[in-house]
Amino acid sequence: MRRLPWRAAKLTGIRQETATARTLVFTIPGWPGHLAGQHVDVRLTAPDGYSTERSYSVAAPERGDRVELTVELVEDGEVSPYLLEVLEVGDEVEIRGPVGGWFVWRPERATPVLLVGGGSGVVPLMAMIRARRAAGSSAPFRLIYSVREPDQRFYLDELADPQPGLDITYIFTRKTPDGWDRAPGRITAADLDGVSPGTDSYVCGPTGFVEAAADHLIALGHAPDRIRTERFGPTGG
Amino acid sequence: MGIVSRGFFGRRREGDAELPPGQYLTHDFPVLSAGPTPRIGLDRWEFTIDTETGETHRWSWADLMKLPSETPTVDLHCVTKWSKLGTDWQGVSLDVLFEDVETSAEYALAYSYGGYTTNLPLEDLLDGKAWITYKFDGEDLTPPHGGPARLLVPHLYLWKSAKWVRGIRLMNEDWPGFWETAGYHNYGDPWREQRYQGD
C-alpha cells in the first residue's frame, strides 16, 4: 500500500460564502479523485520549516484536478485565519487525500437520502447534493440545514435554485427571516418527522447538534446503522 | 520540508515539543464517532473476552466495579490532529481482566455496543498499556465519550480506544476493524504518524 502523498495545491479561485467563511478552489496536479463526503488534510509550512495540518471536508464532487474546500473562521485558530485572510489566488499549500470511506454518498445508490447539517457541517452534505446533480441521480434528497441566523447560510444562491427531487428546509436557532413561521430554536424531533425510516441519513455538525439530531432520528424509528454521523468540536482550526 | 506557503508563519504553542508529528494542542475534548451514540443500561451491560479456542470470560457491571482500579493520567492523540495532554481516567487494567485468560493468540478485535470494531495486537493491550475505563476527570464517563465504559489505549491514535466497549475477541489472525477497513492505518502509532493506510 502506497502512502497518500502530499501534493502541491495552488489556489485558483475564491468564493465568499458568508462574512466568516469562504470557498477555496484549488488545482492539484495528479489528484486521484474523491467521493462526496470525504475530507482532505491541508498542510501549511512556514519559512523556518515549522508546519501544521488540519482536516477539511471537500465541498464539491470529483472534477478533474479541482478540489473545493469551504472553510469557516475559527476564532483564535491557527490555520483558518490564514486560509481566510492571507491566502490569495496563486498561493500554494499542500494537500493529501482523499480520506474517509464511511461518511460518503455514491451516485449509483438510489435510496432516499436525508441530510442534516448544523453550521459548517453542511459542507460535506453540499458535496453530496452537487454529486447528485452532476450524476443526474434521481435519488430523493432532503436537506435540513440549521444555522444561527439567516446570513450565516452557505451556498444560498445555489440552494435557492430549485432542483427536482431536492427538498430544503432551513432551521434558524437564534434569529429568523421576517415572517418565518418557525420560531427560532434548536432542532427538534418535529423538524425531522415525516422522513421515512427507510432513508439513509447523514448528520454533520457540532457535537451537541449531531447528538440531538441522531437521537431524534432514533426516537422516530430510524435504524442506528442507517445514520452516519460526522462531528466536530469547537476546536483547533 | 514541504512547500512554504507565502505569508504563513504559524503559531508555536507552549508544549508543542511534546506532541507527535502533525498534531496540535487542544484543551477541549472533541467527540468523533461514525454513528449515533448508543445508550446502554448498566443492568444489561457486560464485558466479555472471547479466546481463539472459544472460551468466554464475562463480567457484569457489578463484577467490573469489584475489581481493583487504576487512575492513569495519559495524553490523547486523535487522528483528526488534536491532542489533549494529561487527561485523568479511572478504570480496570486489561492485565487484571486477562489474569485467568489462557491464550496464545497474537491479535485482538475490540467490539462495541452499536457495532463499532477496532483491531490491535494483543501485546498492545497488556503490560499496563490499556484499561477498561468508566470515569473521566473524576466523573462517570458520559455516553458521547464512550460511557458507560470505554477501552483506553493511549499509546495509539484514539480511534483504537473503542467507545461503548462490549468485548475483546482474541484471534490467531489479524482482522481489520471499522476505520481500518475505511482507509485508516492498521496499527495507528501517533509518534510514527500512522494515520492512513500506507503511512
Side-chain angles (χ1 to χ4, degrees):
Chain A
M1 175 64 66
R2 202 163 72 94
R3 188 176 194 272
L4 278 175
W6 288 102
R7 298 171 196 272
K10 182 174 280 198
L11 188 69
T12 49
I14 297 173
R15 289 196 302 274
Q16 198 72 32
E17 301 291 351
T18 68
T20 55
R22 67 183 193 177
T23 293
L24 305 172
V25 183
F26 291 98
T27 298
I28 310 176
W31 183 248
H34 57 268
L35 295 166
Q38 288 191 296
H39 53 90
V40 299
D41 286 356
V42 174
R43 180 163 77 180
L44 302 178
T45 300
D48 65 354
Y50 168 83
S51 73
T52 193
E53 301 171 20
R54 296 293 186 276
S55 294
Y56 293 100
S57 287
V58 178
E62 179 173 345
R63 197 173 131 197
D65 56 6
R66 267 169 72 115
V67 172
E68 294 191 21
L69 310 179
T70 305
V71 178
E72 175 151 59
L73 185 69
V74 176
E75 291 294 337
D76 199 34
E78 181 185 25
V79 172
S80 62
Y82 174 82
L83 295 177
L84 289 171
E85 291 156 12
V86 181
L87 195 70
E88 291 173 2
V89 167
D91 287 342
E92 279 189 323
V93 303
E94 288 174 293
I95 289 181
R96 75 167 179 150
V99 175
W102 171 247
F103 196 82
V104 295
W105 179 75
R106 291 179 167 82
E108 56 272 23
R109 191 161 165 89
T111 308
V113 170
L114 171 67
L115 307 172
V116 187
S120 56
V122 76
V123 175
L125 311 181
M126 190 63 185
M128 296 177 191
I129 288 170
R130 288 168 166 165
R132 173 184 182 274
R133 178 181 232 174
S137 159
S138 55
F141 264 43
R142 179 158 179 207
L143 170 67
I144 298 175
Y145 181 11
S146 170
V147 288
R148 274 202 301 260
E149 299 172 8
D151 63 5
Q152 291 180 330
R153 286 175 287 183
F154 296 179
Y155 319 121
L156 192 55
D157 291 345
E158 189 176 338
L159 289 174
D161 184 19
Q163 293 180 44
L166 169 65
D167 182 75
I168 301 171
T169 307
Y170 291 103
I171 292 174
F172 301 98
T173 60
R174 198 168 295 169
K175 193 178 116 197
T176 68
D178 291 338
W180 198 257
D181 58 5
R182 182 190 182 279
R186 289 169 187 274
I187 194 164
T188 66
D191 293 313
L192 298 164
D193 205 1
V195 178
S196 157
T199 299
D200 289 336
S201 296
Y202 296 84
V203 184
C204 186
T207 293
F209 175 84
V210 172
E211 288 291 312
D215 286 352
H216 291 322
L217 288 173
I218 288 171
L220 289 166
H222 292 247
D225 62 4
R226 299 291 292 279
I227 305 170
R228 298 183 182 208
T229 65
E230 186 125 295
R231 308 160 206 234
F232 50 85
T235 184
Chain B
M1 176 165 140
I3 295 169
V4 173
S5 290
R6 182 198 58 81
F8 177 72
F9 301 101
R11 181 198 298 162
R12 287 149 201 76
R13 299 179 195 193
E14 223 177 303
D16 273 4
E18 307 162 42
L19 296 180
Q23 295 293 108
Y24 64 87
L25 198 58
T26 180
H27 298 285
D28 301 321
F29 191 178
V31 170
L32 290 126
S33 17
T37 297
R39 266 45 185 202
I40 309 106
L42 296 183
D43 51 337
R44 62 182 186 88
W45 183 91
E46 62 171 25
F47 177 77
T48 58
I49 295 176
D50 312 292
T51 73
E52 75 280 15
T53 58
E55 203 184 322
T56 297
H57 300 256
R58 203 179 293 275
W59 292 266
S60 68
W61 187 259
D63 296 334
L64 187 76
M65 291 301 114
K66 281 183 209 139
L67 295 174
S69 68
E70 297 179 1
T71 53
T73 298
V74 299
D75 300 339
L76 307 179
H77 307 296
C78 179
V79 71
T80 63
K81 314 274 159 43
W82 57 266
S83 290
K84 183 175 175 65
L85 305 184
T87 60
D88 294 316
W89 299 81
Q90 184 180 342
V92 176
S93 166
L94 265 296
D95 295 325
V96 172
L97 295 162
F98 271 90
E99 216 159 83
D100 297 324
V101 176
E102 273 191 39
T103 180
S104 59
E106 286 185 37
Y107 299 100
L109 183 76
Y111 57 96
S112 299
Y113 292 94
Y116 182 74
T117 56
T118 187
N119 59 307
L120 57 186
L122 176 56
E123 63 177 1
D124 285 85
L125 291 175
L126 302 177
D127 297 326
K129 292 199 284 285
W131 298 265
I132 301 298
T133 58
Y134 45 80
K135 279 186 190 287
F136 173 77
D137 242 352
E139 306 281 341
D140 290 345
L141 190 59
T142 59
H145 285 300
R150 170 179 199 164
L151 178 63
L152 179 65
V153 196
H155 69 286
L156 300 178
Y157 280 125
L158 200 54
W159 89 79
K160 297 284 183 179
S161 295
K163 296 177 183 181
W164 318 297
V165 68
R166 177 179 194 165
I168 291 169
R169 186 167 302 133
L170 302 174
M171 299 172 301
N172 292 321
E173 279 173 41
D174 200 8
W175 184 289
F178 180 83
W179 287 118
E180 293 83 2
T181 49
Y184 286 79
H185 197 273
N186 197 53
Y187 184 64
D189 179 353
W191 295 96
R192 289 186 276 165
E193 206 171 359
Q194 295 173 334
R195 297 181 195 277
Y196 313 124
Q197 281 171 27
D199 277 355

